[in-house]
């Protein structure tokens, strides 16, 4: 299998770079710059290396640096933003403070002929975010792109297959950004594109059939995409030896708990234990308004309920988790023995006896997990369910949580999702929020004083940035009329037109 290394220097788009590479059917893995040596890179036989961006200045002695020997391995390298400056610095060039000439946001870029710009117009818009610039090129390099303010917006040393761009080709704001990456991966690195989720999923099933043969496996099934796909995969690998504990905390959307139970009890026939713990969670959340406190209470209580149910099962050989690649990256760890910082059921090892932890999805991004779910036969409505916060509706209710408010939000949210679902093109995420604002209304010639429901819909490629979706007015009108007429206690509906940034997708 061909592999490309994304060497992380603290860039905010490191995961996005790796995803862009995998979209080309080339396996990419991210490693922190201080966790791998040039010798290890050479030994791993990577087809190429990509240096990520980062928030530092390369001329600062405290900034992340790397062994210049990596430039002499004969492996193609692409530096992006800080990675471009680092390449210039390591090769003997000069990087300087641009002062007031720093560039941020959409910028006009003029390109020269280059392998990485093959088939791309000579003038495009790119996304810049830098205060430093390459003021003197290293020996052997030439400038292949400029902007009005940046004399070296891209450079290359063709002989050594070293390329660097000051802009960010991985973000959607850069025109032809994916084509630039494609040209590097196929035109410079010589990749053929041999990595497919379909093949990888089948390989995982065969792998765990062998490794987990005869072992008892326990999985905490949240009903989310990750744990659901992990359950489907392991069910095909170990069959009856898999037991899933689904803790229904009563904070799910309308009908979701029943969908999860029906899917995994009926379709796969696995051993499923559903724990209806709504009352327990609501008791713990009573009077709590602060969102972070809500999250902590829900996370802690989930563990306690899971422990209580799992202890009834007896000895467990393997604890399985729905950990995915972003979890691994964000924890900064690559070893299952130290994954406490990111797994969903932290603390369980001290309570339940098991020999190992298995994370079948730990090398997959979310979109790849969804593809695997479809391959495994999960229903599309479960696989492609929209991102849903772990604390559930608790963080879509502003203020304290009550059963009445949960019922109100479930109904309003279901109506909104039903009406938007009729649109030809769907937003990437859409939901309702029950605010803590009450307003005066009139119904049947009588004064009302009900809740305000906010509707939220965003369009995004990566959830790092998002724009509010322009839902057709007639759809919004129908949703609003239905909510105020069908949902008791709601007298006003508003539509959130905030983008990210400055707002976030969720309200809490």
């Amino acid at each position: 299998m061909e592999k490309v290394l994304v060497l992380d220097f603290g860039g905010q788009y490191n995961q996005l770079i790796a995803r862009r590479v995998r979209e080309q059917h080339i396996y990419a893995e991210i490693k922190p710059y201080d966790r791998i040596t040039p010798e290890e890179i050479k030994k791993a036989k990577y087809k190429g290396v990509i240096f990520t961006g980062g928030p530092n200045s390369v001329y600062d002695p405290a900034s992340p640096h790397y062994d210049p020997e990596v430039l002499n391995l004969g492996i193609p390298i692409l530096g992006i933003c800080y990675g471009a400056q680092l390449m210039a610095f390591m090769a003997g060039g000069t990087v300087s403070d641009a002062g007031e000439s720093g560039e941020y946001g959409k910028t006009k870029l003029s390109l020269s002929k280059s392998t990485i710009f093959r088939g791309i117009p000579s003038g495009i818009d790119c996304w810049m975010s830098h205060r430093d610039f390459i003021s003197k090129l290293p020996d052997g390099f030439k400038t292949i792109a400029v902007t009005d303010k940046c004399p070296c917006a891209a450079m290359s040393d063709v002989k050594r297959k070293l390329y660097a761009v000051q802009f960010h080709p991985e973000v959607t704001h850069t025109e032809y950004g994916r084509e630039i990456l494609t040209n590097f991966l196929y035109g410079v690195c010589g990749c053929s594109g041999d990595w497919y989720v379909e093949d990888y999923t089948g390989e995982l099933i065969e792998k765990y059939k062998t490794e987990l043969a005869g072992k008892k496996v326990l999985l905490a099934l949240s009903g989310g995409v990750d744990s659901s796909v992990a359950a489907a995969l392991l069910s095909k690998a170990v069959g009856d030896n898999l037991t899933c504990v689904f803790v229904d905390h009563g904070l799910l959307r309308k009908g979701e708990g029943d969908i999860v139970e029906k899917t995994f009890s009926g379709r796969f026939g696995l051993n499923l234990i559903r724990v209806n713990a709504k009352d327990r969670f609501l008791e713990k959340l009573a009077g709590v308004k602060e969102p972070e406190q809500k999250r902590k209470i829900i996370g802690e209580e989930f563990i306690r309920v899971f422990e209580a149910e799992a202890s009834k099962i007896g000895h467990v050989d393997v604890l399985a988790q729905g950990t995915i690649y972003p979890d691994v990256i964000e924890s900064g760890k690559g070893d299952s023995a130290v994954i406490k910082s990111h797994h969903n059921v932290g603390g369980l090892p001290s309570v339940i006896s098991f020999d190992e932890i298995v994370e079948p999805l730990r090398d997959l991004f979310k979109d790849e997990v969804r593809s695997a779910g479809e391959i495994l036969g999960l229903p599309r409505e479960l696989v492609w369910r929209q991102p849903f916060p772990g604390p559930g509706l608790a963080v879509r209710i502003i203020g304290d949580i009550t059963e009445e408010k949960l019922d109100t939000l479930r109904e309003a949210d279901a109506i909104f999702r039903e009406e938007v679902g009729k649109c030809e093109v769907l937003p990437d995420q859409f939901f309702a929020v029950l605010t803590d604002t009450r307003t005066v209304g009139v119904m049947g010639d009588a004064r009302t004083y009900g809740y305000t429901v906010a509707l939220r819909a965003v369009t995004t490629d990566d959830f790092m940035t998002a724009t509010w979706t322009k839902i057709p007015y007639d759809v919004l009108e129908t949703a609003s009329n239905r909510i105020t007429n069908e949902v008791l206690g709601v007298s006003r509906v508003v539509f959130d037109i905030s983008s990210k940034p400055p707002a976030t997708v969720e309200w809490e």
Side-chain angles (χ1 to χ4, degrees):
M1 180 178 67
E2 297 172 332
K3 295 190 299 182
V4 167
L5 172 65
V6 177
L7 200 59
D8 182 17
F9 291 94
Q12 61 176 317
Y13 298 130
N14 58 0
Q15 293 184 35
L16 185 55
I17 294 170
R19 282 184 55 209
R20 294 288 182 249
V21 174
R22 291 195 187 183
E23 287 172 359
Q24 306 293 330
H25 301 298
I26 300 162
Y27 187 78
E29 58 187 16
I30 301 172
K31 291 188 181 295
Y33 75 95
D34 57 353
R35 299 290 178 87
I36 188 170
T37 66
E39 183 60 32
E40 290 170 330
I41 291 176
K42 183 177 180 180
K43 186 177 180 181
K45 297 183 179 180
Y46 290 106
K47 296 286 287 186
V49 178
I50 299 177
F51 293 171
T52 74
N56 305 91
S57 296
V58 296
Y59 47 77
D60 181 349
S63 66
H65 284 189
Y66 199 69
D67 187 341
E69 179 58 27
V70 72
L71 304 181
N72 301 316
L73 295 178
I75 300 174
I77 300 176
L78 173 65
I80 297 175
C81 197
Y82 177 86
Q85 297 168 8
L86 181 63
M87 181 184 291
F89 187 83
M90 290 193 297
T94 304
V95 177
S96 305
D97 186 344
E100 295 182 359
S101 295
E103 295 173 305
Y104 300 92
K106 185 180 290 187
T107 306
K108 293 290 183 181
L109 183 70
S110 298
L111 308 177
S112 301
K113 288 186 177 180
S114 170
T115 300
I116 65 170
F117 299 144
R118 183 173 295 146
I120 297 172
S122 59
I124 63 173
D125 288 331
C126 71
W127 189 259
M128 287 284 197
S129 182
H130 69 104
R131 66 177 182 273
D132 295 335
F133 74 107
I134 299 169
S135 55
K136 179 184 175 183
L137 269 65
D139 292 341
F141 283 81
K142 72 172 186 177
T143 298
I144 56 174
V146 299
T147 70
D148 289 342
K149 291 184 178 181
C150 187
C152 179
M155 66 178 188
S156 66
D157 180 340
V158 176
K159 186 177 180 180
R160 291 197 286 172
K161 298 183 179 180
L162 304 177
Y163 293 80
V165 295
Q166 184 61 67
F167 57 93
H168 288 273
E170 70 275 19
V171 303
T172 55
H173 305 292
T174 294
E175 292 182 309
Y176 299 96
R178 296 187 186 188
E179 288 81 357
I180 292 171
L181 291 174
T182 298
N183 286 336
F184 173 72
L185 295 167
Y186 285 89
V188 180
C189 301
C191 293
S192 60
D194 65 355
W195 189 80
Y196 291 85
V197 174
E198 294 88 344
D199 297 337
Y200 188 73
T201 303
E203 292 168 5
L204 285 175
I205 293 172
E206 294 305 314
K207 165 186 166 73
Y208 290 116
K209 277 183 180 179
T210 300
E211 293 184 1
L212 302 179
K215 296 181 179 179
K216 296 292 185 182
V217 182
L218 178 67
L219 171 70
L221 181 63
S222 68
V225 176
D226 303 334
S227 64
S228 295
V229 174
L233 189 149
L234 290 173
S235 177
K236 288 183 178 293
V238 303
D240 291 342
N241 281 335
L242 173 66
T243 298
C244 295
V245 176
F246 170 40
V247 179
D248 185 348
H249 48 30
L251 304 170
L252 297 174
R253 289 174 289 196
K254 186 176 181 179
E256 278 190 320
D258 294 336
I259 291 173
V260 172
E261 183 175 19
K262 181 179 179 181
T263 297
F264 288 98
S265 295
R267 188 176 301 241
F268 293 97
L270 53 73
N271 302 315
L272 176 67
I273 300 172
R274 178 177 179 175
V275 184
N276 293 307
K278 179 186 70 173
D279 293 342
R280 179 169 177 166
F281 277 85
L282 289 183
E283 182 180 345
K284 293 287 185 180
L285 289 167
V288 178
K289 298 182 178 181
E290 207 279 318
E292 283 305 308
Q293 190 178 357
K294 292 179 188 176
R295 287 187 173 90
K296 290 177 181 178
I297 290 172
I298 293 167
E300 173 72 16
E301 198 61 18
F302 178 88
I303 292 171
R304 300 284 82 82
V305 175
F306 184 83
E307 288 173 348
E309 292 301 318
S311 64
K312 302 173 184 176
I313 298 172
H315 178 74
V316 175
D317 299 297
V318 179
L319 177 66
Q321 300 181 145
T323 305
I324 65 174
Y325 199 38
D327 299 328
V328 178
I329 297 165
E330 288 163 9
S331 73
K333 306 289 191 292
D335 190 325
S336 292
V338 286
I339 65 172
K340 302 290 181 60
S341 59
H342 65 78
H343 71 64
N344 296 324
V345 287
L348 291 176
S350 64
V351 178
I352 303 170
S353 172
F354 62 89
D355 301 322
E356 59 184 302
I357 294 175
V358 165
E359 301 164 316
L361 310 177
R362 66 177 285 114
D363 292 325
L364 298 180
F365 284 106
K366 177 71 80 173
D367 55 326
E368 296 164 342
V369 171
R370 293 186 194 277
S371 296
E374 287 196 322
I375 293 164
L376 292 164
L378 285 171
R380 184 173 179 81
E381 62 269 21
L382 183 61
V383 172
W384 291 97
R385 62 175 289 187
Q386 302 211 345
F388 190 59
L393 297 180
V395 290
R396 290 182 180 172
I397 293 176
I398 311 303
D400 63 322
I401 311 299
T402 66
E403 189 167 355
E404 178 188 11
K405 287 183 178 180
L406 284 166
D407 290 339
T408 299
L409 179 55
R410 279 196 192 95
E411 294 301 323
D413 182 72
I415 290 171
F416 182 51
R417 288 191 290 120
E418 179 184 338
E419 294 303 326
V420 174
K422 298 174 184 177
C423 293
E424 187 173 334
V425 179
L426 295 180
D428 293 299
Q429 188 170 0
F430 53 101
F431 55 89
V433 174
L434 185 65
T435 75
D436 57 352
T437 301
R438 287 178 177 264
T439 64
V440 174
V442 178
M443 290 184 180
D445 295 328
R447 178 185 184 277
T448 62
Y449 193 61
Y451 286 107
T452 298
V453 166
L455 306 180
R456 178 76 161 142
V458 299
T459 300
T460 178
D461 183 62
D462 50 31
F463 285 92
M464 296 177 183
T465 60
T467 56
W468 63 276
T469 306
K470 297 173 178 59
I471 303 292
Y473 289 153
D474 59 331
V475 174
L476 290 175
E477 182 179 26
T478 300
S480 176
N481 286 340
R482 285 193 59 193
I483 290 171
T484 52
N485 279 278
E486 297 176 27
V487 184
L488 188 65
V490 176
S491 60
R492 191 178 299 265
V493 175
V494 298
F495 184 54
D496 183 350
I497 60 170
S498 306
S499 292
K500 175 186 180 180
T504 57
V505 175
E506 296 287 345
W507 276 41
E508 286 193 341

